[in-house]
Amino acid sequence: MPLKPRGRSQARGHATAAAIDLPALRAAYEAGASTVDLAVAHGLARTTIRDLLERAGCTVRTVAQAHAVRERASYVRAARPTPASGRRIVLDVFGAPWRVTHTSPTGHGFAVARGIRVPRGRGSPAVILTPPLAAHLERHRLAPRLLDLPLGQSVIVRLRQRLAQDFVRETAAWWQARRDDLDRLPPGAFAARHGVPRNTAMVMRRRLCGPRPGRRAWLDAAARALLLSDRPAAEVATLLGKKRDLVYQLRSALRRQAAAGPGASHVPAPG
């Protein structure tokens, strides 16, 4: 069954996709790797990975199933806590004292400590947000997948919330701060400068900056005037022989550029 075409970026990746060992890809996915992990590992779009998994006879997990698999995998990989000797007291990053009851080693030069709040701590031991752990969470604030801690995903989420880390909001702010580079540079150059996958740069440029109508040969002055008119999008799509979704995107991009003025437009004059 051929891959389902989803755009030019995936069409360029079909040659790479054809060389992938489908049984190995399926085995990695069933072992717990996500479509995002496989896409980064093979340099392909996530939708291409989904198509390849379907070709391999694998049912792609839903979002809820993917969360459950990731949580279970993090629990299985986690080193079991060992009881701590003595009654050692440590301070968390907020200065509160805790009595350590268990520790779990990590590969980052510190141990994850569990314990009970003193003097009146009750219940089961909880993860202590020590300064080394907080610093590690801060280093990977925008890349929590790289944390590699002996903790479950839900525990990591709670620790990040205590540090006021908001992945969605902060990632959006990161892209907005680099919007000028995203609009000005080719996706490959942006990816090399800022350390992100090229496919991600392409998707985010289209999402934040809109399509680049100046590269479309059919988009002459008459077509631009039609897009900027008040005619319904369905009528404009019929007149231009294009899809209505494309008309919506181009109309939005052209109106933004018109509002910004001729000096701010990246759309060259036709001809």
Side-chain angles (χ1 to χ4, degrees):
M1 181 177 66
L3 292 176
K4 294 179 287 188
R6 294 176 182 264
R8 289 178 297 176
S9 61
Q10 279 199 338
R12 287 195 296 267
H14 283 177
T16 303
I20 291 179
D21 184 0
L22 294 183
L25 187 73
R26 175 174 179 170
Y29 185 71
E30 291 178 345
S34 68
T35 54
V36 176
D37 296 333
L38 296 174
V40 172
H42 295 284
L44 294 170
R46 189 160 59 98
T47 49
T48 304
I49 294 295
R50 292 175 64 92
D51 291 339
L52 290 171
L53 289 171
E54 290 174 0
R55 288 182 61 190
C58 186
T59 302
V60 180
R61 294 186 284 265
T62 64
V63 174
Q65 291 171 339
H67 279 293
V69 168
R70 187 160 58 247
E71 179 75 14
R72 185 168 60 251
S74 63
Y75 176 79
V76 170
R77 290 194 303 266
R80 294 295 172 261
T82 57
S85 58
R87 298 177 62 86
R88 185 162 63 99
I89 303 297
V90 299
L91 300 180
D92 66 13
V93 72
F94 304 107
W98 292 71
R99 178 169 60 85
V100 179
T101 59
H102 298 79
T103 58
S104 299
T106 70
H108 311 294
F110 65 92
V112 173
R114 291 174 170 81
I116 299 175
R117 181 81 176 267
V118 294
R120 296 184 178 180
R122 296 178 180 178
S124 301
V127 175
I128 304 172
L129 191 54
T130 57
L133 176 58
H136 185 68
L137 291 169
E138 185 64 31
R139 274 194 301 272
H140 300 290
R141 189 182 189 108
L142 294 179
R145 285 178 170 272
L146 303 179
L147 286 172
D148 188 25
L149 292 171
L151 300 172
Q153 187 68 22
S154 59
V155 176
I156 291 176
V157 169
R158 287 196 295 271
L159 293 174
R160 284 167 54 84
Q161 288 173 346
R162 292 184 62 193
L163 294 173
Q165 296 183 3
D166 188 329
F167 177 77
V168 174
R169 178 177 56 80
E170 293 170 2
T171 302
W174 188 92
W175 283 102
Q176 286 290 349
R178 292 156 180 79
R179 184 170 179 170
D180 290 342
D181 278 358
L182 195 63
D183 191 32
R184 179 175 54 86
L185 298 175
F190 181 91
R193 171 176 293 187
H194 297 288
V196 298
R198 181 178 179 276
N199 286 338
T200 304
M202 293 179 65
V203 171
M204 293 306 299
R205 180 170 74 167
R206 186 173 186 86
R207 182 178 301 173
L208 295 180
C209 306
R212 307 182 72 79
R215 299 182 179 181
R216 303 176 188 275
W218 58 268
L219 195 59
D220 55 11
R224 291 169 187 246
L226 193 59
L227 285 166
L228 290 172
S229 68
D230 294 331
R231 290 187 168 187
E235 181 182 348
V236 174
T238 301
L239 292 173
L240 294 177
K242 303 297 178 180
K243 293 183 178 180
R244 186 167 52 181
D245 289 344
L246 179 61
V247 169
Y248 280 128
Q249 294 171 359
L250 291 175
R251 173 174 279 178
S252 177
L254 289 172
R255 285 178 175 173
R256 282 199 309 269
Q257 293 164 10
S265 174
H266 67 259
V267 182

